[in-house]
Amino acid sequence: MSYRKADLLPPVTLDDVRGAQKMLTGVARVTAMEGSRHLSQLVGAPVHLKCENLQRTGSFKLRGAYVRIAGLLPEERAAGVVAASAGNHAQGVALASSLLGVDSTVFMPKGAPLPKISATRDYGAEVRLHGQVVDETLAAAEEYAAETGAVFIHPFDHADIIAGQGTVGLEILEQCPEVRTIVVGIGGGGLAAGIAVAVKAIRPDVRIVGVQAAGAAAYPPSLAAGHPVSVENPATMADGIRVGRPGDVPFRIIGDLVDEVRTVTEDELSTALLLCLERAKLVVEPAGASPVAALLSDPGAFEGPVVAVLSGGNVDPVLMQRVLRHGMAAQGRYLAVRLRLTDRPGALATLLGVLSVVDANVLDVSHVRTDPRLGLTEAEVELHLETKGPVHCAEVGQALREAGYTVID
């Protein structure tokens, strides 16, 4: 393994990852590797999905959390551990602590989804809600650690965490020894760094591609600058990779061993999540779908066989509903239109008749008659339609305009 700074020892080695794999035997599942016919046809080479969304606690985070906590000294375990997370890391720390007989306290934002809060408590952690964003929650957890002596378990910026996540890479090589490209989402960088350490040490020819959400992409500018830099107000539906600054330890590894970092849009993320659900029958959170989004956005850029790591499946049902609708809209399968019409008896029935002719299925209708924007004889209607693709959406819009309706963008 080569590092740019020859005077520094590697922060994580293949031996560390192999040691973590032994430690995790009987604790973490060896998750399934599923082929995807649809993605394989698109890429022009075999594509496999590494299903960490089926891991215990619903994500890869258990691996690193268990290795980190298991490595604590007896007096450190006695003091307990503390973590800060909006979901996946929280659950990983909670379960790992319970398995090891260590008391855990997890700080979560006040707006964290209720299913994630409930799951973290069920795994045995004491949950404290603090702050509106993860940065505020993180500060509270660090303050708690300083006051009580509890050991702070960072979600990605620690060698033991990275070694634990690297066991995913060893499993990929065992399950798909012919792999040529591994695509993995990047937030702080612990998973990508761990996979890179394991895979590059054994198969340096394998290309590793990291994926970030465009609205929370701290790695491209950091790699260009040669040191971690922060992105102000990272924004993406993919909360699992919504991290404003790379971790110092994973950044060094990723800079040396990851071949490329790509970004994907919110439309591409939601389309990928929908594809995983419909084609692969897998519930995947937006962060976990980011590698699939990268394949969909530029399928010719990946040499096969390809392994896409589905890092987690802990998606809030409310968010899932919104994301699926967003993904359907991105594919032209869902259309929302507003239009004006004359407010007279039968006007709405006439409008619905036009939509029936072009075979658009009406899901919802909102009819407004009283509004300062409207004339005395006008009404405004908002329609939510199920459509059959971009061409059909264009046909619907054209039919409405030809029928004399004013479509409001």
Side-chain angles (χ1 to χ4, degrees):
M1 182 183 311
S2 64
Y3 284 80
R4 291 195 183 110
K5 296 182 180 179
D7 57 326
L8 295 177
L9 293 173
V12 183
T13 68
L14 176 61
D15 285 343
D16 294 330
V17 180
R18 284 177 167 157
Q21 188 176 46
K22 292 180 181 178
M23 189 179 297
L24 289 167
T25 300
V27 175
R29 295 172 182 153
V30 177
T31 52
M33 182 88 75
E34 298 287 344
S36 172
R37 186 170 62 88
H38 178 76
L39 289 173
S40 297
Q41 290 175 342
L42 193 66
V43 172
V47 175
H48 306 280
L49 306 175
K50 177 60 172 167
C51 300
E52 281 297 289
N53 59 309
L54 303 180
Q55 183 56 262
R56 296 177 71 180
T57 75
S59 89
F60 69 95
K61 289 288 190 176
L62 171 65
R63 298 172 183 264
Y66 187 91
V67 172
R68 173 78 173 99
I69 297 169
L72 296 178
L73 298 173
E75 57 269 27
E76 291 175 319
R77 291 196 190 193
V81 300
V82 60
S85 167
N88 289 347
H89 181 59
Q91 293 173 67
V93 168
L95 178 57
S97 299
S98 294
L99 293 173
L100 291 164
V102 176
D103 291 335
S104 63
T105 302
V106 176
F107 285 78
M108 303 182 76
K110 292 180 180 178
L114 291 177
K116 293 185 178 182
I117 295 173
S118 177
T120 303
R121 285 183 173 137
D122 288 345
Y123 286 128
E126 177 188 346
V127 174
R128 299 192 180 190
L129 302 180
H130 183 91
Q132 300 300 325
V133 296
V134 174
D135 287 344
E136 295 173 355
T137 307
L138 183 65
E142 290 175 331
E143 182 179 350
Y144 177 88
E147 291 175 352
T148 66
V151 179
F152 178 66
I153 307 299
H154 199 283
F156 49 81
D157 205 10
H158 193 280
D160 289 346
I161 294 286
I162 294 169
Q165 321 305 28
T167 58
V168 176
L170 294 180
E171 289 179 17
I172 289 172
L173 293 182
E174 292 164 1
Q175 294 170 313
C176 184
E178 69 278 14
V179 62
R180 297 293 300 168
T181 305
I182 296 173
V183 191
V184 55
I186 297 181
L191 177 61
I195 289 174
V197 167
V199 172
K200 288 290 189 177
I202 300 171
R203 287 277 310 280
D205 59 304
V206 173
R207 183 172 181 81
I208 299 178
V209 179
V211 184
Q212 292 207 287
Y219 265 90
S222 297
L223 292 170
H227 59 83
V229 298
S230 298
V231 171
E232 295 296 327
N233 301 316
T236 173
M237 70 176 76
D239 59 342
I241 54 175
R242 189 172 60 221
V243 178
R245 183 187 183 279
D248 292 327
V249 180
F251 174 79
R252 180 180 159 202
I253 296 171
I254 287 172
D256 286 339
L257 299 180
V258 171
D259 297 281
E260 180 186 6
V261 177
R262 291 175 166 248
T263 62
V264 292
T265 67
E266 299 299 284
D267 279 353
E268 289 163 347
L269 284 168
S270 55
T271 299
L273 187 148
L274 183 61
L275 183 143
C276 288
L277 185 62
E278 289 189 326
R279 296 299 184 99
K281 314 306 178 190
L282 292 169
V283 175
V284 182
E285 62 190 270
S290 60
V292 175
L295 295 178
L296 293 174
S297 67
D298 190 7
F302 302 90
E303 180 184 359
V306 177
V307 173
V309 182
L310 307 182
S311 58
N314 291 318
V315 56
D316 178 43
V318 176
L319 175 62
M320 171 72 86
Q321 185 179 39
R322 296 204 308 266
V323 171
L324 290 178
R325 181 165 289 186
H326 189 86
M328 291 177 68
Q331 291 185 331
R333 296 167 54 190
Y334 176 86
L335 179 65
V337 294
R338 286 190 304 127
L339 47 84
R340 298 274 174 87
L341 71 165
T342 302
D343 188 13
R344 56 179 173 76
L348 184 57
T350 301
L351 169 61
L352 297 178
V354 172
L355 296 171
S356 177
V357 170
V358 290
D359 201 23
N361 185 31
V362 178
L363 301 175
D364 190 29
V365 179
S366 176
H367 195 192
V368 178
R369 289 187 172 89
T370 305
D371 191 285
R373 298 170 300 160
L374 300 174
L376 186 62
T377 61
E378 288 184 319
E380 184 174 290
V381 175
E382 182 174 350
L383 298 161
H384 295 250
L385 310 172
E386 183 181 4
T387 48
K388 301 175 183 178
V391 173
H392 190 213
C393 288
E395 291 173 353
V396 171
Q398 183 64 25
L400 290 171
R401 284 185 287 271
E402 289 179 354
Y405 295 102
T406 301
V407 179
I408 304 169
D409 294 330

